[in-house]
Structure formats: C-alpha cells, structure tokens
Amino acid sequence: MMRNDYITASLLVVSPSAEPYSLFGHCALRLQCPDHNMDYCFTFETPTDAKGLYSFFRGHAKGGFAAAPTTAYLDYYRQAGRGVEQHLLNLTPKEKLMLWQQADKEIVKGDSYRYNYLHAQCASMVIDLITSVLPAPIRYNQIPTQVDGSFRDQMLTESVPYPWSRFFWQTIMGPAGDELGPFEHKLTPRTLPEVWRQANLVDTDRHLISGNAETLTATASRHSSTIWARLLSPTGVFTMLLILVVVITIGQWYWGWRVLPILTDSLLLVVYTLLALALTALVLLSDLEATQWNWYLLVFNPLPLLLWAFRRKWLPTICAALVVAILILLVLTPFVAQLDLPHALFMATLGIRAASLNRRKIFTWNLKTLKPQTI
C-alpha cells in the first residue's frame, strides 16, 4: 500500500507584477517524491517574447504545460522579486499518482492548447488538471465577490495596484468582457486557494486544500510615494496632459503661440494614428477574446485620417464629427463599463485640439512660415 507522503502535491501561487500578462499572477502544480529525489513544478505557459505577443494579439497564441525543477522555478521568481506561496493539496495517494501521470501526459502534448486569457490560462488549466483525477465534482461554499461578477469585474479588482495594466485591459477588452462566464474560469491565482480552502467534494467533507500557506519566496517590497504613484497613473498623466493642452490652446489664440500648438498636434496625431490602427486591427483582423467590438473604435479609427488624406477641404467636417464622437463617449462614460476616467481625459484632450480648429475660422498650418492659413 502506498504511503500518503510518498507523493506530495501542492498548488503554487506566484504574486502579480506590473506587466499586463502578469496582472493576475501565476499558478503551478508542484509534485514531490522524496524517495526518488524528484521535485518538479508543472506550469501552463505561453511565450511572451515578440513572436508570442504577436500571436497573442492575433488571437492565435498556443500554450501548454512545461516542467521545471522546483529550485530553478523558485530561483526565477526570486530574482524577479515575486513571491511564491505553497498550498498543500488534500489528495489521496492514488489521486496524487494519477495526477503525476496526467501531468506527464500534458508535457508530451506540448503547446497544443489555444491560449485564451478568459477561459484557458494558467489557473483554469491547473484546475482542469487537478479535477481530472477527483472522484466527484467540487462543491463551492464561499464565492468572492469579484469571481461572482463579470470578467471585467475580476480584472478591475485584480488591477488596483497596477493602474497602467488596468488601462491596457480596459482599452482592448470590449463588451464581451462584461459577460459572467463560467465560475471556475474567473478564479485567479490569488482567489483560487481562498475558494478551494472552503470548497469540498460533493457528498464528502474533504476540502481540497489543507493546512496553512507556506511562503517559499517573499515578494520584494516596492517603496513608492503615494503622490508620485497618483501623478504617474493614467488618471494623473492624462489630467496633466489635459491641463497642458488647455494652456497651449489658450496661448495659441490669445498670445499668438505657434510652435507649441504644432508640436502638440503632431504628437497627438501620431498617438491617435497608432491607437486607431491598433484598435481597428483588433476588431477586424484578430480572433483575440473580447475584441469583437470596442467602444473606443467610435473615436479611434482610421476613417478621419483617410478622409483628411484624400479630401483636405473636408477638415472642418472631419474635426466636427470627431468632436461629436468624443462627446458621445464622454456622455456614455458613467453608463458603459469599458469607458473610464483616464480614457475620458485623453479623449477630452483630443476634442479640445480638434475643436480649436474652428474658433472663428477653420485653418491649417503652413509649416514653412509657422503661421495659420485659412482654407
């Protein structure tokens, strides 16, 4: 008869980081067999290099399980300053043996899964791997609020310490992110141990996690001034940008400033063009989840640029239409989950510069003389 401690199975939870793809942290399965000096971590991953990120935004990213010695796995996250906690899984010796066999089979498959950041990521795949060896379904007794809501609710809760990651996901996650979706797919590395510690198998009192969490590597402390953190957040940055643009616009009309308005408009045009192309590609060309529609596409799309390129005299109408689109989204901001304050501040900045083209006359700039010329 196999001893209960012949194999030890644990859930490893890695703390989040500021990168958008690490916003929710990471989790892995640790399997140990001291009798044979074996200690490995099985982790579901997808490439995050340039090619991997391109595949992600195309919606074609592949993922799969990989195995690494636990010492190497922990060293990697220790050097990155990210904490790792271990939670002991309450499994029978037979279940732990079956789990190791199943994990080995997943390694052989390689990157055979289509990565889906809503439905097929590290947490959901580890859950599927563990539940595949359980004799009965799981009964969930306590459900955290953010897991009981939509995918966007989950993202907004997890992203509080990382406002720029929140800004990124709010930019690309369209209305599909407001769907409720399957409960287990919304469990994150942070919430999974909390939920599983209270859960038990149907018709039994056996909980899935036993004992207290053990810290294997500590999270590096990050000392940052609260004032600076707020100033450098999306809301802080776009507020300062809006104030700057208001001052430049006033200076243009009342004090005859010339160079600053040109530089400002040029910079905003470059940013607008990049955002318009990126959002259009996501909506029309990508299979990435929750990008089938995007509210910001009403403002950030290539149509104004194309019309201006071929019909320069349409500039007044183009600017007026852009201002109207911005006003519509600003009015809808309190009522649409995707629309938020940082984006509203940036759109207001664009709207002021577009509206400034028509005070008494519509004009464009003569780059040789740095003087306005009417059209």
Side-chain angles (χ1 to χ4, degrees):
M1 184 175 179
M2 188 184 302
R3 303 191 321 271
N4 187 50
D5 62 350
Y6 180 70
I7 296 176
T8 302
S10 306
L11 178 70
L12 297 188
V13 175
V14 183
S15 64
S17 66
E19 293 83 2
Y21 54 81
S22 297
L23 174 65
F24 303 103
H26 190 64
C27 68
L29 176 67
R30 182 184 184 183
L31 296 173
Q32 301 166 265
C33 181
D35 288 8
H36 296 280
N37 197 28
M38 298 175 69
D39 188 355
Y40 288 95
C41 290
F42 296 84
T43 171
F44 182 82
E45 297 181 345
T46 187
T48 56
D49 57 6
K51 183 178 179 181
L53 291 176
Y54 173 75
S55 297
F56 170 78
F57 285 110
R58 286 289 311 278
H60 300 158
K62 293 287 188 177
F65 278 92
T70 298
T71 52
Y73 187 84
L74 295 178
D75 284 343
Y76 172 81
Y77 286 109
R78 185 180 293 109
Q79 293 174 12
R82 298 174 64 182
V84 180
E85 283 188 349
Q86 178 173 271
H87 303 266
L88 189 64
L89 293 172
N90 187 20
L91 303 177
T92 66
K94 181 180 178 181
E95 289 167 352
K96 287 184 282 190
L97 179 60
M98 293 171 57
L99 182 59
W100 202 315
Q101 293 170 342
Q102 191 63 30
D104 285 338
K105 292 179 182 178
E106 292 294 339
I107 297 297
V108 175
K109 292 180 182 179
D111 293 341
S112 58
Y113 295 95
R114 179 181 176 273
Y115 181 80
N116 183 317
Y117 73 90
L118 296 182
H119 303 290
Q121 17 66 16
C122 65
S124 64
M125 297 303 292
V126 168
I127 290 173
D128 290 345
L129 182 60
I130 296 172
T131 55
S132 68
V133 303
L134 296 178
I138 300 173
R139 179 194 295 120
Y140 293 98
N141 301 312
Q142 293 186 5
I143 302 176
T145 304
Q146 70 271 25
V147 177
D148 199 30
S150 67
F151 289 107
R152 191 183 307 279
D153 294 331
Q154 170 202 30
M155 180 274 295
L156 293 175
T157 301
E158 298 283 344
S159 63
V160 170
Y162 306 103
W164 281 104
S165 289
R166 170 184 286 198
F167 181 80
F168 167 81
W169 287 113
Q170 278 288 79
T171 301
I172 72 169
M173 185 185 290
D178 300 317
E179 298 175 358
L180 295 180
F183 161 72
E184 288 188 330
H185 292 183
K186 290 178 287 185
L187 290 173
T188 66
R190 185 178 65 84
T191 58
L192 178 56
E194 174 188 351
V195 173
W196 271 20
R197 197 174 295 278
Q198 302 296 328
N200 59 274
L201 298 184
V202 173
D203 298 330
T204 72
D205 294 328
R206 175 160 54 119
H207 294 287
L208 294 173
I209 291 179
S210 62
N212 297 320
E214 179 185 356
T215 300
L216 302 182
T217 69
T219 303
S221 59
R222 295 177 174 85
H223 300 286
S224 60
S225 168
T226 303
I227 296 177
W228 278 109
R230 291 178 178 176
L231 287 176
L232 297 179
S233 69
T235 300
V237 169
F238 292 128
T239 297
M240 291 186 289
L241 179 62
L242 177 60
I243 294 172
L244 179 62
V245 164
V246 169
V247 171
I248 291 174
T249 302
I250 293 174
Q252 173 187 350
W253 287 109
Y254 291 97
W255 301 312
W257 292 359
R258 298 176 181 177
V259 176
L260 276 179
I262 293 176
L263 295 177
T264 301
D265 291 343
S266 299
L267 177 61
L268 290 177
L269 180 61
V270 170
V271 174
Y272 177 89
T273 302
L274 294 175
L275 283 173
L277 293 175
L279 286 181
T280 302
L282 277 176
V283 172
L284 299 181
L285 304 177
S286 174
D287 296 322
L288 185 63
E289 294 70 32
T291 60
Q292 292 72 29
W293 169 247
N294 193 304
W295 281 99
Y296 294 117
L297 197 63
L298 292 175
V299 171
F300 298 99
N301 65 81
L303 185 59
L305 298 172
L306 293 174
L307 293 176
W308 178 68
F310 292 100
R311 292 291 185 272
R312 294 296 179 92
K313 292 185 178 182
W314 289 3
L315 182 60
T317 304
I318 295 171
C319 291
L322 184 59
V323 171
V324 169
I326 290 173
L327 289 175
I328 291 173
L329 289 193
L330 292 180
V331 171
L332 291 176
T333 295
F335 311 102
V336 177
Q338 185 186 4
L339 306 179
D340 61 6
L341 180 58
H343 289 86
L345 291 169
F346 183 60
M347 289 189 295
T349 302
L350 291 174
I352 288 173
R353 290 310 303 162
S356 72
L357 293 176
N358 188 1
R359 184 170 179 253
R360 292 190 178 88
K361 299 178 181 179
I362 299 297
F363 68 88
T364 186
W365 288 96
N366 186 320
L367 296 181
K368 294 182 179 179
T369 62
L370 295 184
K371 295 180 179 180
Q373 61 182 30
T374 59
I375 59 173

